[in-house]
Amino acid sequence: MPNADRREPVLSCQPRKRGRPRGSQARQRILQHAEQAFATRGYHGCTVEDILSASGVSRRTFYRHFANRDEVFRGLFVEKTDALATMVERFRQAPTSAQDAYLRLGALFEHYLDAMFAVGDLLPVLVREAMSEPEYATIRERMLAQFRETIRTI
């Protein structure tokens, strides 16, 4: 006679989510939470420990993806400036005519402001570092040149 108290295991087709995020998920999680940590504490006030605490990843996972805090910030800086560069390039590729130059200029500023607001609280930290750190000067100059060229073509 079968034992009524004995339960059969429940099988699921869905994999169980255990532990911490892995691979690209972990990298994205670190970047996402580091963005808020940098925005709150500033570049110089933010530590790897702050990023670990905010992202919930282990120190080992962090160092698997990034060499240090500076590399995380560099990743965020490049990600945000690339998004802005993509927006400007899409704008530049749009059809144009002499009669709509005023509207195009207005649209360019609108897109630019949207991109800046999308960066959110991290914007002041990015701008401060772009203005003070030589490492980011090249990226800043490239962005300014692209923006100037876009305005010139309007």
Side-chain angles (χ1 to χ4, degrees):
M1 178 169 186
N3 186 349
D5 291 335
R6 194 166 141 184
R7 295 188 178 143
E8 293 295 320
V10 177
L11 300 177
S12 172
C13 295
Q14 304 257 340
R16 289 178 48 187
K17 293 183 180 180
R18 293 183 183 195
R20 298 182 181 189
R22 298 191 179 272
S24 63
Q25 281 183 329
R27 181 179 173 79
Q28 278 310 113
R29 182 182 184 117
I30 293 166
L31 286 170
Q32 177 186 358
H33 291 280
E35 180 175 340
Q36 194 56 45
F38 281 120
T40 303
R41 301 185 190 304
Y43 175 73
H44 297 287
C46 185
T47 64
V48 169
E49 198 59 45
D50 295 329
I51 297 168
L52 293 175
S53 177
S55 64
V57 301
S58 69
R59 187 172 296 280
R60 183 177 188 172
T61 299
F62 177 89
Y63 285 111
R64 185 176 299 137
H65 295 283
F66 300 98
N68 52 39
R69 168 199 69 153
D70 298 339
E71 194 172 292
V72 175
F73 187 79
R74 191 175 307 111
L76 286 170
F77 191 91
V78 169
E79 178 184 296
K80 300 304 180 183
T81 55
D82 282 353
L84 182 58
T86 299
M87 180 276 306
V88 170
E89 190 55 36
R90 268 190 313 219
F91 180 84
R92 288 179 66 190
Q93 299 300 323
T96 183
S97 68
Q99 64 215 76
D100 70 352
Y102 177 76
L103 296 174
R104 284 179 51 79
L105 186 59
L108 174 63
F109 283 116
E110 184 178 330
H111 289 308
Y112 179 79
L113 289 175
D114 287 346
M116 290 293 101
F117 285 123
V119 174
D121 295 337
L122 188 60
L123 183 61
V125 179
L126 291 175
V127 170
R128 237 184 338 269
E129 291 307 306
M131 299 304 282
S132 64
E133 294 295 324
E135 176 181 355
Y136 301 112
T138 304
I139 297 170
R140 182 187 56 167
E141 289 305 317
R142 177 179 50 98
M143 293 296 300
L144 287 173
Q146 183 185 29
F147 200 73
R148 284 185 199 108
E149 179 61 22
T150 300
I151 291 173
R152 188 188 66 73
T153 61
I154 293 177

